[in-house]
Amino acid sequence: MTTPEDPGVFVQISRPEGPLEDDIWTKTQEGGTRTPAEGAGKRTLEEGPKQRRRLHPAWAVAAVAFLALVGAAGFRAAPGVLMVPLQQEFGWSTTVLSSAVSINLVLFGLTAPFAAALMERFGIRAVTAVALGLIGAGSALTVLVNQSWQILLTWGLLIGLGTGSMALVFAATIANTWFAKSRGLVIGILTAGSAAGQLVFLPFIAVLAQDPGWRQASLLIAAGALAVVPLVLKFLKNSPADVGALPYGAEEPPGAADGKTEADGITVAGQPAGAAEPRRNAAVRALQVLRSASRNRTFWALAAGFAICGATTNGLIGTHFIPSAHDHGMPETTAAGLLAVVGIFDILGTIASGWLTDRFNPRILLAVYYQFRGIGLLVLPLLLGSSVQPSMILFVVIYGLDWVATVPPTAAICRQVFGADGSVVFGWVFAAHQLGAAAAALAAGAIRDATGHYTYAWLGAAAMCTIAAVISATIRKDAGRRKSAAVAVASVD
């Protein structure tokens, strides 16, 4: 006769479900994986029943990053709207104000690769919070300017450094650090954050610039940037290892069942673990990556195409569309509304581009995007007028869908060719984007002052888009694969 104390009784009973299972299967804080509790045998969770999974923390980080990009994007909508009020109050020329925008765009671009390295060195959260603080300070101090050199300091230096640290390389860093799959989609969504910022801020900036005035519009930009800082400090984690998780979509590496995790230096999906990156001088790392990448023809092809991308978006349309529409008799608020519509379709186009990048050849996507943009710029001089016609609405929709659709495929090629250095390489490619934007902003202002209109600027930009399309289409599919290993080795010298 078997007694209750006889262990055989328990052998005959199936393993109970519910609370007891939580006593048997426990979660380790370090690795974020479940392992057998003492006396429960050597089975792992993968061998047991499937558990309900909560939302991966990567998506929460992506949401906060999106809000940070929205907050940082306020100034991107400002120059085109505030240029005319500043000219009316201080009598500054279009060239002077375009110079301030150009300094901003140059620093915006040149800061990006160093910001990517700084994020690796000091963490994404710290760099993002400081960047938003610089944007807020520069926008707030703008209300005190009364000399042209002061607008160069606020619009150019302070806001340029801040926005450069919150550039599109920020989106690439978040995607590469937190996601092992759906990276193209995530980059598309985060890039759309800048467009969303334009959509949110632009109509209010345009209204405030007219009544009560441009100073209140500058304060709105400062408030938008600073409001996001608490969320960044609270919720924007530096890497999956900080929360005991793997990147979204990553498979658990060998050895995890023995207590080793990404924090112990195990790589996931061919990329080094976020916490395993040794702490190095950020400037040295950025320059080492540039030196190695510059030996690769793909780097120069991407940089040339992205320089033209910047020239035809931030440099021309973003800076001079509203003044050009004003030259044709269109009210500034109406022109600002059209740019806001560009922002709406920019969100849709960029997210769609991210989805397409995960599925199709990114080189072909780039060629198509640049060519469509060139066609739009070619016909723009014919569409501008004192009122909004259906043809202008069509231009706004197409240009909006194409605005920064180039970002996901460009970031994808950087990751494919340069591997673990992809984010920093993208930072240098983005620097070319902003140098092109700065040159176009300054050149278009000079053309306007010399000729009284922007027509030659639009036509020249259309020709450059065709060049970018050809360059992108001729990037070889296997370009850089043999050199990517050399880049990775050089980056850790």
Side-chain angles (χ1 to χ4, degrees), residues 86 89-92 96-97 140-154 214-215:
L86 285 168
E89 179 170 338
F90 297 108
W92 297 334
V96 168
L97 292 173
L141 290 173
T142 300
V143 305
L144 304 176
V145 303
N146 52 34
Q147 300 292 327
S148 59
W149 67 267
Q150 295 169 340
I151 201 72
L152 301 180
L153 177 64
T154 55
W214 64 267
R215 289 176 176 83

Side-chain angles (χ1 to χ4, degrees), residues 213-250:
W214 64 267
R215 289 176 176 83
Q216 284 70 22
S218 294
L219 292 176
L220 173 64
I221 297 168
L226 296 176
V228 190
V229 174
L231 291 176
V232 168
L233 293 175
K234 177 71 175 177
F235 298 108
L236 189 62
K237 306 300 182 183
N238 293 323
S239 73
D242 289 350
V243 293
L246 297 174
Y248 175 77

